[in-house]
Amino acid sequence: MDNVVRLQSALHDLDASINYAVKANGNLAIMQVMAQCGLGFDVGSAGELHRVHCLQRHMGRRAPLVMTGPAKTTATIAAGLESGAQLVAESVSELQRIQQAAGALGITAAVGVRVNPDLEASTHPHLATAAGEGKFGMPLAEVRRLAATWSTWPALRLVGLHCHVGSALYRLDELDAALGLLVALAAELRAAGCALQWLDVGGGLPISYGEEPVPDVRAYGDMLRAHLGGTGLALHCQPGRYLVGDAGLLLSAVVEVKQAGRRRIVLCDAGMNDLLRPALYGARHRIAALSGSGELRSADVAGPVCESADFLARDVLLPENVGDLLAVLDAGAYGMSMASNYNGRPRPAEVMTWDGQAIVVRQRETLDDLLRGEALLPANGPESQDVPGSAAP
Ligand code: LLP
């Protein structure tokens, strides 16, 4: 919650809507805290939207809602519109499909378009989303042309421009450059008659996973203020990692320690299916030994998955006699939300500390959970089409 407050105070004098990027960590209890702090949500799929619906039913009120992301199906578009989400279109053909869906619902939909500014971002290549040849958004020239053709979509009002340069942006100048282009484009579109109301700068605020210096959130606020001041445009942003990244850790028990040539390998019961970031991006997370004794020695920490990439950390210092539990730090963003059941592994429980209490906010999955929805072939008899239960042979 401190992260939310820090961001809110950095943006306090701006007309700002902070929409939490649910993809970072969609646990309902986390989303509940965000809503209680007055945040809205950025959803990128029908599944994330379903989470918002669930929470809204529980709270008895709606939260501001934005739907972003490429390849929205027509059904997802319709569900977004019915939920009152502001949709951000990624292409002209998506605008056409939003027009059809809004027409069918008999509504006029306020929409934004995602601009692809063709900028490099000095983050991991997998996290850069503003490259001209990438799949995201529309080139500046194409967005410019929209002003002339907008009347083709009578059920749509263009109210905003969106740009998500990338995630884990350790340099503000990249966001600064994107925002400069966005503000100039907004001025052109307004001059051409579009009644734009907001600019959405996406997410991207980083956290430090150890040594990397991170930009001060107040400098982020100042940068936004410098661009938006006097434009009359509201600010939307969609932080994920900044809000939850350092608020979560992954606990894992050491199963054994072995020597592989010159490397000492600590094998534990959490793996890449629980925290994919090190295997997928080479991300470095700090690891703390919660018990153990003796001198600190370098070790690689690996999991039980049958893949050579199944490391949680390389070359970290751990006690010589490493004890039972390790904590992988800064796993609150894109940890559980990217976890899978690979290698027949139930996903772990999620526990939240709140008001001095530890609350289980997601049950540990059971082995039977892994079989949910599966069916055996009819040749084995009709009863075999039921989901197999836990009756072990
Ligand atoms: N808005 C949009 C449209 C996005 O695509 C994203 C993240 C965000 C906001 C939130 O970005 P953030 O503030 O968290 O940087 N799995 C990767 C991160 C992928 C981010 C995808 N999009 C990781 O583990 O680092």
Side-chain angles (χ1 to χ4, degrees):
M1 214 151 111
D2 292 353
N3 297 337
V4 177
V5 173
R6 216 173 296 121
L7 181 60
Q8 282 174 326
S9 71
L11 306 182
H12 74 279
D13 57 343
L14 284 163
D15 177 8
S17 303
I18 305 176
N19 298 311
Y20 171 61
V22 173
K23 58 176 78 68
N25 185 331
N27 184 284
L28 283 173
I30 302 260
M31 291 172 64
Q32 186 181 14
V33 174
M34 299 298 176
Q36 277 164 2
C37 292
L39 269 54
F41 296 106
D42 159 42
V43 295
S45 67
E48 290 177 3
L49 179 62
H50 184 60
R51 291 185 167 275
V52 174
H53 286 163
C54 227
L55 180 66
Q56 290 184 155
R57 269 198 303 278
H58 175 81
M59 296 189 310
R61 67 175 171 86
R62 284 178 173 231
L65 189 53
V66 181
M67 181 180 267
T68 55
K72 301 178 193 70
T73 65
T74 302
T76 303
I77 288 173
L81 290 177
E82 284 176 58
S83 312
Q86 297 224 336
L87 267 63
V88 174
E90 299 253 348
S91 65
V92 169
S93 67
E94 188 184 323
L95 281 169
Q96 272 153 4
R97 289 187 300 120
I98 303 176
Q99 156 69 32
Q100 276 162 10
L105 290 170
I107 58 169
T108 306
V111 296
V113 292
R114 178 164 182 172
V115 180
N116 182 329
D118 193 8
L119 287 176
E120 282 190 15
S122 55
T123 180
H124 189 281
H126 293 2
L127 309 186
T129 45
E133 295 190 344
K135 67 174 179 176
F136 297 101
M138 300 162 68
L140 289 163
E142 198 173 1
V143 178
R144 234 175 244 127
R145 284 197 296 273
L146 287 179
T149 53
W150 199 262
S151 55
T152 345
W153 302 300
L156 306 185
R157 275 187 307 122
L158 176 59
V159 293
L161 297 179
H162 163 95
C163 179
H164 172 71
V165 178
S167 197
L169 302 172
Y170 286 88
R171 287 170 35 189
L172 279 182
D173 58 334
E174 292 162 342
L175 269 176
D176 191 39
L179 201 53
L181 292 173
L182 224 54
V183 169
L185 181 61
E188 286 180 52
L189 288 173
R190 284 172 130 189
C194 293
L196 291 182
Q197 296 166 6
W198 48 259
L199 295 186
D200 189 327
V201 293
L205 266 181
I207 61 166
S208 180
Y209 286 93
E211 286 116 46
E212 325 88 313
V214 288
D216 188 327
V217 70
R218 284 169 302 192
Y220 175 72
D222 290 343
M223 187 265 294
L224 296 172
R225 205 166 286 115
H227 282 289
L228 287 161
T231 62
L233 290 163
L235 166 76
H236 289 191
C237 63
Q238 309 171 334
R241 187 188 318 269
Y242 178 80
L243 298 182
V244 292
D246 65 0
L249 52 82
L250 171 66
L251 278 182
S252 182
V254 174
V255 177
E256 65 175 70
V257 180
K258 72 197 276 188
Q259 196 67 33
R262 277 175 300 160
R263 299 302 308 154
R264 183 167 157 257
I265 307 206
V266 173
L267 285 152
C268 58
D269 67 355
M272 64 189 284
N273 72 295
D274 304 299
L275 181 67
L276 185 58
R277 303 192 71 257
L280 189 59
Y281 313 118
R284 291 184 68 87
H285 284 255
R286 287 170 297 168
I287 300 223
L290 302 184
S291 54
S293 61
E295 257 176 60
L296 294 181
R297 283 181 56 198
S298 165
D300 294 339
V301 179
V305 173
C306 303
E307 299 260 355
S308 301
D310 183 28
F311 275 82
L312 293 176
R314 299 203 185 249
D315 197 13
V316 287
L317 289 174
L318 292 175
E320 196 163 24
N321 293 312
V322 64
D324 282 349
L325 279 183
L326 296 178
V328 186
L329 305 187
D330 306 313
Y334 307 107
M336 192 62 168
S337 60
M338 295 205 299
S340 77
N341 294 126
Y342 182 43
N343 245 192
R345 292 174 45 75
R347 284 174 294 175
E350 288 179 288
V351 180
M352 193 175 197
T353 53
W354 189 253
D355 247 355
Q357 284 182 325
I359 302 169
V360 177
V361 292
R362 189 180 203 271
Q363 297 288 333
R364 185 188 303 282
E365 283 178 340
T366 65
L367 294 176
D368 274 348
D369 288 336
L370 299 181
L371 307 179
R372 204 161 90 88
E374 288 189 40
L376 293 168
L377 296 176
N380 290 339
E383 72 283 359
S384 64
Q385 289 183 51
D386 295 339
V387 176
S390 58

